[in-house]
Amino acid sequence: MKNKNLQLLIPADISEKLDLKADDKAILSIRNNKLIVQFQENQLPTAKNSFIWPIIIALFTSLSFYIYCIGQNIQSIKLVGNSSLATIIIILGAIIGTILFTFFFIIDRKNPHNEFAKNVYWRNFPVIVISFALILALSLVSAMWLLGVLFKGVLFDNFTASIILFVFCTLINLGMIHFALIINGNLLSTVLTLVIIIGVVTSMAVNNSRYWWQHNLSFLGTNKASSGWQFNATLILSALLMLALIDYLFVSLHNTYAHTWKLWLLRILLTMVAINLGLVGVFPNDASFHILHDHVALFLIYFVLALIIGIRWLLPEITREFMLLSYAVGVSLVISEFLFRIVGYFSLTAFEIISFMLAFGWLLLVFNYIEGLIDDDTQSYIRLE
């Protein structure tokens, strides 16, 4: 069979979105039986050379550290502990990584291919940066703790320590720049999930000796808990992240669907869920805020149930499968309430954990569903000639 060249015709609306010109060059590649079209010329110079910046900055950081060690006559340095290599990696890695993430995210807003950055308003930008900075810092702390366990008591000379610092800084910088250039709604949902999981699990671990499960989940945020502020800060940051995600999703969604009262009501209900989640952290379950805390938590449940009941009419193009799944979650929430309050089968802690997991998991599915509606808008049929 003879090979023949085919032309790929791109619809006008896609061409306008990508700001394509007649002389733009594209690279065609096949991954997992999918045709990938990449327009190289439309990338910003900063993005195209993004792999160079991490190496240059990491090299400058390690050289500065080496010169500092020589100037202070530091011959050896511990891996972990006070004034250790781990401390340097955590502090410098978190600061420089966050700065690079911020810089490249702002620069990439000018990229016509980046629909996410263009639909994120500046009011949400600090929340996104803080969230990625928090995850980076926690990841570095965990990694350094693990290395400290594996290589207990190890010492390095200043030159070796500088090389290790260079390697870690390069990896951190590469990772943060990569996330800044690929961030989208799905990734933001993942970050939201990680923030909640890391924050709540860490709070549970810290309060393990205080038998927090004998009280309730809200105990983790009280003044009787160890680092109660961490649990409350997790809820507040998660609420802010949820607000940023809602803002982005509905700004993008309104580009396709009309500004109907149904979409506005859906947005208001999701926003109220996020606000009440944050207020649960603002008003911990202490004696002074107990009644207010309970009311806010109750309203959180009411808004989630209102969303589940009304999702059939509020969410555009809802499928029968998603509608049935939503009702199944709603029924499960009602059953757990019955088993807790009437039967007494569930403890308060078990009831709170089960209800939270069901509600939060369903909300993530809603966000992913809306993200899918946005992605569908970018799809268009093409033909080969």
Side-chain angles (χ1 to χ4, degrees):
M1 181 178 176
K2 263 191 174 181
N3 292 329
K4 66 176 181 178
N5 293 324
L6 300 175
Q7 289 183 332
L8 188 68
L9 298 182
I10 299 176
D13 56 339
I14 299 294
S15 176
E16 289 174 5
K17 277 192 175 184
L18 297 177
D19 193 25
L20 298 178
K21 300 176 181 61
D23 57 345
D24 285 343
K25 296 179 180 179
I27 294 178
L28 302 182
S29 57
I30 298 176
R31 297 174 193 167
N32 298 324
N33 291 324
K34 294 180 181 179
L35 180 64
I36 309 297
V37 184
Q38 295 174 298
F39 296 95
Q40 297 281 336
E41 296 301 321
N42 279 354
Q43 292 183 2
L44 297 177
T46 308
K48 286 197 293 186
N49 299 321
S50 58
F51 67 94
I52 298 176
W53 290 91
I55 299 174
I56 294 174
I57 294 174
L59 183 61
F60 175 78
T61 303
S62 59
L63 283 175
S64 300
F65 173 72
Y66 182 66
I67 293 171
Y68 172 81
C69 289
I70 293 176
Q72 297 295 316
N73 197 28
I74 300 174
Q75 301 298 325
S76 61
I77 184 169
K78 297 182 292 183
L79 174 61
V80 295
N82 296 326
S83 302
S84 64
L85 179 60
T87 305
I88 298 296
I89 291 174
I90 292 170
I91 294 175
L92 293 181
I95 293 174
I96 297 173
T98 303
I99 291 173
L100 286 174
F101 175 86
T102 305
F103 175 77
F104 276 86
F105 185 87
I106 293 174
I107 291 296
D108 208 46
R109 284 177 63 87
K110 300 176 182 178
N111 187 348
H113 299 273
N114 193 338
E115 289 293 329
F116 176 82
K118 288 190 294 184
N119 289 328
V120 171
Y121 292 123
W122 290 110
R123 61 177 176 266
N124 299 319
F125 179 64
V127 177
I128 296 173
V129 173
I130 292 171
S131 302
F132 275 89
L134 177 64
I135 292 175
L136 173 61
L138 290 174
S139 300
L140 289 176
V141 169
S142 302
M144 293 302 107
W145 173 82
L146 179 60
L147 288 176
V149 172
L150 294 175
F151 304 99
K152 192 172 182 179
V154 68
L155 289 171
F156 298 108
D157 62 86
N158 51 24
F159 181 72
T160 304
S162 300
I163 294 176
I164 295 174
L165 178 62
F166 169 75
V167 173
F168 270 96
C169 283
T170 300
L171 294 175
I172 293 167
N173 296 345
L174 277 170
M176 294 304 284
I177 291 174
H178 175 71
F179 284 125
L181 296 177
I182 69 163
I183 185 171
N184 54 28
N186 287 329
L187 183 58
L188 198 59
S189 296
T190 304
V191 171
L192 171 61
T193 306
L194 287 175
V195 167
I196 288 184
I197 292 175
I198 292 173
V200 173
V201 170
T202 303
S203 298
M204 290 178 178
V206 169
N207 288 278
N208 190 44
S209 61
R210 301 199 174 203
Y211 304 101
W212 62 269
W213 60 88
Q214 295 180 357
H215 304 274
N216 50 50
L217 188 63
S218 298
F219 173 82
L220 297 173
T222 63
N223 51 23
K224 295 180 181 179
S226 298
S227 304
W229 65 270
Q230 182 177 321
F231 180 79
N232 296 325
T234 297
L235 296 180
I236 295 170
L237 181 58
S238 299
L240 293 173
L241 256 177
M242 194 179 294
L243 287 172
L245 182 58
I246 292 168
D247 198 23
Y248 156 72
L249 289 175
F250 279 88
V251 168
S252 303
L253 199 60
H254 286 318
N255 294 332
T256 307
Y257 298 89
H259 291 60
T260 62
W261 67 268
K262 292 181 180 180
L263 277 183
W264 278 112
L265 182 56
L266 178 61
R267 180 171 184 172
I268 290 171
L269 288 173
L270 286 171
T271 301
M272 293 308 298
V273 169
I275 291 173
N276 278 272
L277 177 64
L279 290 177
V280 171
V282 172
F283 303 112
N285 197 20
D286 294 321
S288 54
F289 294 119
H290 174 70
I291 296 177
L292 191 56
H293 175 89
D294 284 352
H295 278 82
V296 170
L298 196 60
F299 275 112
L300 177 61
I301 296 173
Y302 287 158
F303 283 121
V304 171
L305 287 175
L307 275 167
I308 291 174
I309 294 171
I311 200 69
R312 174 179 183 177
W313 300 278
L314 300 178
L315 191 62
E317 300 180 19
I318 186 170
T319 63
R320 185 173 180 273
E321 291 76 14
F322 190 82
M323 187 173 61
L324 292 176
L325 176 63
S326 300
Y327 290 157
V329 171
V331 170
S332 300
L333 287 171
V334 172
I335 291 174
S336 65
E337 177 85 9
F338 176 78
L339 291 175
F340 166 63
R341 297 194 182 276
I342 307 300
V343 180
Y345 178 74
F346 283 149
S347 66
L348 178 56
T349 303
F351 167 69
E352 288 183 335
I353 292 176
I354 291 171
S355 299
F356 178 78
M357 290 177 64
L358 284 170
F360 182 70
W362 179 78
L363 285 171
L364 288 178
L365 290 177
V366 173
F367 292 144
N368 288 334
Y369 196 94
I370 297 175
E371 180 73 19
L373 293 176
I374 297 169
D375 290 340
D376 287 343
D377 178 48
T378 63
Q379 295 178 4
S380 181
Y381 289 103
I382 60 176
R383 74 175 189 270
L384 300 174
E385 288 189 350

